[in-house]
Amino acid sequence: MPVRRTVFFLALLIAAGCSRSAPAAADAGAQQLHFPALTGRVVDQAGLLPPAQVGAVAAISADIERRTKAQYVVVTLKSLEGDTIEDYGVRLGRTWGIGRKGVNDGLLLIVAPAERKVRIEVGYGLERRITDPYAKKVIDQTIVPAFKRGDFADGIREGSLALERRLLSRQSDAEIYQEDHRS
């Protein structure tokens, strides 16, 4: 998988509210986390996905990159190691360097089943396509309902397809903003 090791700036999408927050100014004082190795488009550390589903989600990721140049990675975690999913996601994105330098078009779907947390991290270059309200909608209406049924694979696949549809949408950024910010 041709994942470029570049700077990835993240907008924090809090699963519960998807509000923006600035990342900590310095990670030096933060606890040392042990991130999984970036081994491909899908890093299933928690073992939630059967091989066929890993392949299906990896194909969605490859299609996104082929058609938009944006990079999409799904990661499932055994543990957040006591960190919040927001902070973990920011630090993971920086460590892995998903997205193109100067474009910041990386996208991460993070699933931490032990802590019952899901998060979509969006590089600044994709914020107009994957807005906070849209990310919240995908989590609340697509991913979480499947997880509640015990179907992690379907939630991850369907959430990935929803993100792909939005990235490939012919809607203008203004139309997306209007759609996502209706009361």
Side-chain angles (χ1 to χ4, degrees):
M1 172 178 113
V3 176
R4 296 168 190 89
R5 304 279 180 196
T6 58
V7 177
F8 177 54
F9 296 101
L10 301 171
L12 295 178
L13 296 176
I14 300 172
C18 291
S19 63
R20 293 178 207 270
S21 171
D27 288 336
Q31 76 181 51
Q32 180 64 36
L33 298 176
H34 301 94
F35 298 119
L38 179 59
T39 55
R41 296 176 186 277
V42 178
V43 178
D44 187 21
Q45 184 188 59
L48 300 178
L49 301 169
Q53 287 293 346
V54 170
V57 174
I60 294 166
S61 171
D63 190 52
I64 288 170
E65 187 168 357
R66 182 180 59 78
R67 295 173 75 182
T68 71
K69 306 294 184 235
Q71 294 177 335
Y72 174 57
V73 176
V74 173
V75 59
T76 72
L77 303 168
K78 289 181 184 175
S79 171
L80 292 169
E81 301 182 25
D83 208 351
T84 65
I85 196 167
E86 297 82 9
D87 290 341
Y88 191 100
V90 167
R91 293 167 70 191
L92 178 65
R94 287 180 181 158
T95 299
W96 280 357
I98 306 302
R100 294 175 293 163
K101 185 176 183 175
V103 180
N104 301 317
D105 58 350
L107 185 62
L108 288 172
L109 172 58
I110 305 165
V111 179
E115 291 90 350
R116 300 176 59 117
K117 300 289 182 184
V118 179
R119 183 170 179 78
I120 297 171
E121 290 285 356
V122 181
Y124 290 134
L126 296 178
E127 285 184 332
R128 292 183 178 185
R129 307 300 295 172
I130 307 295
T131 63
D132 288 349
Y134 186 75
K136 180 175 176 23
K137 178 181 173 182
V138 169
I139 290 168
D140 292 348
Q141 296 179 13
T142 304
I143 297 172
V144 170
F147 286 7
K148 285 182 178 178
R149 293 189 311 268
D151 195 345
F152 288 98
D154 189 54
I156 291 168
R157 184 179 52 79
E158 290 300 318
S160 297
L161 286 169
L163 294 170
E164 179 183 38
R165 280 191 299 273
R166 176 50 73 90
L167 289 172
L168 298 176
S169 169
R170 293 180 187 235
Q171 289 177 292
S172 70
D173 291 347
E175 290 169 327
I176 284 173
Y177 182 87
Q178 274 189 327
E179 177 181 313
D180 290 353
H181 291 84
R182 287 187 193 135
S183 298

